Amino acid sequence: MAERSTAAVEVADNSGDEPPAAQADKATTDGVAKAQKTEDGKAGEPGPEKSADSAAGKPAKSGADDPAGPEDGKRQEARQAVTPPELHSGHKLARRYRLEECVTRLDGFSSWRAVDEKLRRAVGVHLLPADHPRARSVLAAARSSALLGDPRFVQVLDAVEENDLVYVVHEWLPDATELTAILAAGPMEAHDAYQLVSQVSQAMAAAHREGLAHLKLTPSAVLRSSTGQYRIRGLAVNAALRGIGAERPQRADTEAIGALLYAALTQRWPYETDAYGLAGLPKGVGLIAPDQVRAGVHRGLSELAMRALVNEGATASRQDPPCTTPDELAKAVAEMPRVRPPEPTFAAPPEYQRTTYQQGSYARPATRPVGQPAAQPVPLPPPPLQSRTGKALKWTVSALLIAALGLASWQVADHMLNRTNSDDTTQSQSVDGNQQKPEPRVPKDLKIEETSVFAPDGDGVQAEDVPLATDGDPATAWITGTYKGYANYGNLPNRRGGSGIVVDLGSVQDVYGVDVAMYRAGQKAQVLAADEDASAPAALSDFPRRITELGQTGGNLKATLDKPVRTRYVLIHITELAPASSANEFRGGISEIKVIG
């Protein structure tokens, strides 16, 4: 928790744009009102806003879109009157959220990394005073975003106004990487860029169908998880915090996706200004196709980026119409040929090294380096004895060797005979004395005293049906609900640790294996055991001893151990569910559990 991770919280970064300027009469989202009524029934004045062009890192336009105006001085005074709350690390909100580290403090609000002490997990928090001119719009945007419930977006967990503060609590993703960091390393492969535009356009199309817009869809707002899934943070909330609006929110988000694809293909920002750590295009050249900026760019993706950016004077390289909504962009991605991942590359095997014997040193004399003295000749052994005395000595040594070999052979034969007689005597004594050899161990099913659902994130799955997995009837089972979209329980925040069943044997036993009948084949599961001195284990770290490896299961999950594991608690842990009967749905469970002793 001490490690800072800006990839897990919306940091309201300044890269590529200035603080919000005044611009009235624009909607912050498709379905969220830009202003809330005050308590006396009058409409409240909307806070300072910023055009979608400036939010995307584009240069501000002149004329009607000029941020300066007659009301600029009054709004600047109102902004200065709003001071961010004086909070510090360790402060608690609602006696639950403990602030840990301030990530951003800007324009009257601040963003924090915090800890939800109730669920023992990291979260992100946006804070601003209740009298902030954008406090009402932030609350409305956060509550609308929370109702979406789409796992492709970083979820809003809470939106509260209390003690003169407004705060929005959202997920914290420590294992995710910002697209900003990915682009800093270089252009993306065609397959990765294809996945980026496909997933982001589909997610934003779903959001706009619910009346929600992003309006600040920058590289810092897109995260890639360790599994390769892209997630979008700050839906509606980022724009409300910054006072950003757009007359055509769908057009603004579509162009932002096109800019992300352009940057992924070229590592350049598609405007003349530098933004988000990326260099802009040369001034005076205009918007040119990605495949003209960098060699080797995928032609279809290059044309797709231009179709999403054509409203700013660009010309598509083909006659295809421009994409003006995320839904049109998602359909265009689906219609193009699928970009396959690159073929894996294998390292060349090391060159075969010939041994010294194969190189012929046995037959050829070794070469002598220049300047090294020649080796001294090895003296030859003296010739064998040729006299009568020598012949007698040879016969004597031969006779002694023959005698020694005969004696050794006789001793070995005598030892073998004695061993055979000893074995016969032992067998005879065993039969006569009714002495039996120790019988081999017979496996038996250990008695299960109690079962409970495994809920590492504080929320169990079908806890009332757990006894059905140990009732001796394979026809009954503990069955999970149906989850959509992802096999890991729908990728829901309260299912990150998976689920399963904890078996209590009543006392420490020698466990030689398990035999688990799965409700459905294709689940990803493992069997773990707690230490001997464990008491009421609840977290995954409480089961450090492994009985089976984590992997896909068939109809049964069996394991037999050569050396028993002494434990009282056994965990059958399911991390991913099996495909259900309908497409894009997943379900799993356990029919019967046997622990073998």
Side-chain angles (χ1 to χ4, degrees):
M1 301 298 293
E3 182 181 356
R4 173 172 176 172
S5 173
T6 57
V9 66
E10 163 56 38
V11 297
D13 60 286
N14 262 337
S15 55
D17 53 352
E18 298 295 328
Q23 182 182 354
D25 300 328
K26 288 189 178 180
T28 55
T29 66
D30 290 347
V32 181
K34 64 179 178 291
Q36 301 291 330
K37 290 187 177 181
T38 58
E39 294 181 359
D40 58 2
K42 298 180 181 179
E45 180 182 358
E49 294 181 348
K50 185 177 180 181
S51 70
D53 291 347
S54 180
K58 297 187 292 185
K61 301 182 182 69
S62 60
D65 291 335
D66 191 345
E71 300 294 329
D72 185 61
K74 295 181 180 180
R75 295 185 179 180
Q76 185 67 22
E77 293 177 0
R79 181 182 301 174
Q80 293 176 353
V82 177
T83 58
E86 294 296 333
L87 300 175
H88 55 82
S89 298
H91 183 87
K92 285 187 181 181
L93 301 173
R95 295 183 295 178
R96 175 176 179 176
Y97 304 111
R98 185 179 75 250
L99 302 181
E100 291 287 318
E101 179 186 9
C102 182
V103 180
T104 298
R105 193 183 300 275
L106 177 70
D107 200 19
F109 70 90
S110 58
S111 299
W112 293 75
R113 175 175 61 83
V115 176
D116 183 351
E117 294 187 337
K118 184 176 181 180
L119 297 181
R120 295 183 294 177
R121 63 179 179 182
V123 294
V125 179
H126 298 308
L127 279 167
L128 67 164
D131 58 351
H132 195 286
R134 295 194 290 273
R136 294 293 175 267
S137 60
V138 169
L139 276 176
R143 289 166 180 170
S144 299
S145 178
L147 293 176
L148 182 61
D150 193 320
R152 293 171 292 191
F153 295 90
V154 175
Q155 300 295 300
V156 173
L157 306 176
D158 210 349
V160 181
E161 178 183 0
E162 65 176 8
N163 298 330
D164 298 328
L165 283 176
V166 169
Y167 58 89
V168 177
V169 183
H170 58 86
E171 284 184 287
W172 180 279
L173 307 177
D175 62 338
T177 305
E178 275 189 12
L179 183 60
T180 307
I182 298 174
L183 295 179
M188 299 174 66
E189 294 286 346
H191 174 72
D192 294 334
Y194 172 82
Q195 291 295 327
L196 168 67
V197 67
S198 175
Q199 295 183 33
V200 174
S201 61
Q202 291 177 18
M204 288 309 305
H208 278 280
R209 284 193 291 269
E210 299 297 328
L212 294 172
H214 197 290
L215 303 185
K216 201 175 187 304
L217 196 56
T218 63
S220 61
V222 179
L223 309 174
R224 186 171 71 180
S225 67
S226 57
T227 59
Q229 300 295 322
Y230 288 93
R231 300 188 65 180
I232 304 171
R233 65 183 176 194
L235 178 66
V237 177
N238 286 7
L241 284 169
R242 290 304 208 66
I244 298 173
E247 295 179 356
R248 301 172 61 191
Q250 293 204 44
R251 174 64 258 179
D253 281 343
T254 305
E255 184 180 351
I257 300 173
L260 295 178
L261 176 59
Y262 195 104
L265 295 173
T266 63
Q267 203 186 12
R268 299 288 292 268
W269 195 239
Y271 306 102
E272 292 183 353
T273 56
D274 299 345
Y276 313 108
L278 301 173
L281 298 177
K283 294 184 179 181
V285 176
L287 184 58
I288 55 179
D291 56 0
Q292 298 178 11
V293 176
R294 189 176 72 89
V297 172
H298 189 277
R299 180 68 181 274
L301 294 176
S302 176
E303 295 175 353
L304 196 66
M306 297 299 288
R307 292 177 63 186
L309 294 168
V310 292
N311 67 318
E312 290 300 319
T315 302
S317 56
R318 297 195 305 174
Q319 299 303 318
D320 294 325
C323 299
T324 59
T325 67
D327 188 60
E328 291 179 359
L329 183 59
K331 291 179 180 178
V333 175
E335 291 173 357
M336 67 179 295
R338 184 175 181 180
V339 182
R340 298 188 178 277
E343 294 292 334
T345 57
F346 299 97
E351 184 180 356
Y352 180 69
Q353 299 292 334
R354 298 176 61 89
T355 64
T356 303
Y357 177 80
Q358 291 169 330
Q359 290 175 350
S361 63
Y362 178 80
R364 298 193 303 267
T367 59
R368 176 172 57 88
V370 178
Q372 181 176 339
Q376 297 296 327
V378 180
L380 296 176
L385 297 177
Q386 299 295 333
S387 62
R388 184 177 300 176
T389 304
K391 293 180 180 180
L393 182 59
K394 286 194 298 181
W395 283 108
T396 303
V397 172
S398 300
L400 290 175
L401 288 175
I402 293 172
L405 289 174
L407 178 61
S409 301
W410 176 80
Q411 290 179 344
V412 170
D414 182 65
H415 176 71
M416 296 297 293
L417 289 174
N418 291 336
R419 183 175 180 180
T420 303
N421 294 334
S422 175
D423 292 342
D424 293 341
T425 303
T426 302
Q427 292 180 2
S428 177
Q429 290 177 354
S430 175
V431 173
D432 294 342
N434 295 326
Q435 296 180 1
Q436 301 294 330
K437 292 184 179 180
E439 296 181 357
R441 182 188 62 83
V442 178
K444 62 178 181 179
D445 294 343
L446 298 178
K447 182 180 179 182
I448 297 176
E449 295 290 340
E450 187 178 357
T451 56
S452 60
V453 69
F454 179 62
D457 298 307
D459 185 10
V461 178
Q462 307 296 108
E464 67 278 3
D465 294 338
V466 167
L468 298 178
T470 56
D471 60 355
D473 184 4
T476 61
W478 169 76
I479 306 173
T480 70
T482 301
Y483 295 85
K484 296 183 178 181
Y486 300 91
N488 58 339
Y489 297 84
N491 202 25
L492 297 177
N494 60 338
R495 295 287 181 264
R496 292 185 182 281
S499 188
I501 295 179
V502 178
V503 173
D504 184 1
L505 301 177
S507 61
V508 177
Q509 304 280 348
D510 286 336
V511 175
Y512 280 88
V514 292
D515 186 358
V516 182
M518 307 301 291
Y519 168 71
R520 180 169 292 174
Q523 303 179 73
K524 194 173 183 179
Q526 61 183 344
V527 181
L528 306 173
D531 289 329
E532 293 186 52
D533 56 351
S535 176
L540 189 62
S541 59
D542 297 334
F543 297 88
R545 310 172 74 181
R546 183 174 299 278
I547 296 179
T548 69
E549 296 293 335
L550 178 63
Q552 296 290 336
T553 65
N556 286 79
L557 177 59
K558 294 183 179 181
T560 302
L561 305 177
D562 296 331
K563 184 179 180 181
V565 173
R566 288 190 57 78
T567 185
R568 175 179 174 178
Y569 300 97
V570 177
L571 167 63
I572 293 86
H573 182 211
I574 300 176
T575 61
E576 292 185 6
L577 306 177
S581 55
S582 300
N584 209 29
E585 292 185 349
F586 302 89
R587 197 175 191 183
I590 300 174
S591 298
E592 200 67 30
I593 302 174
K594 292 182 181 180
V595 182
I596 302 171

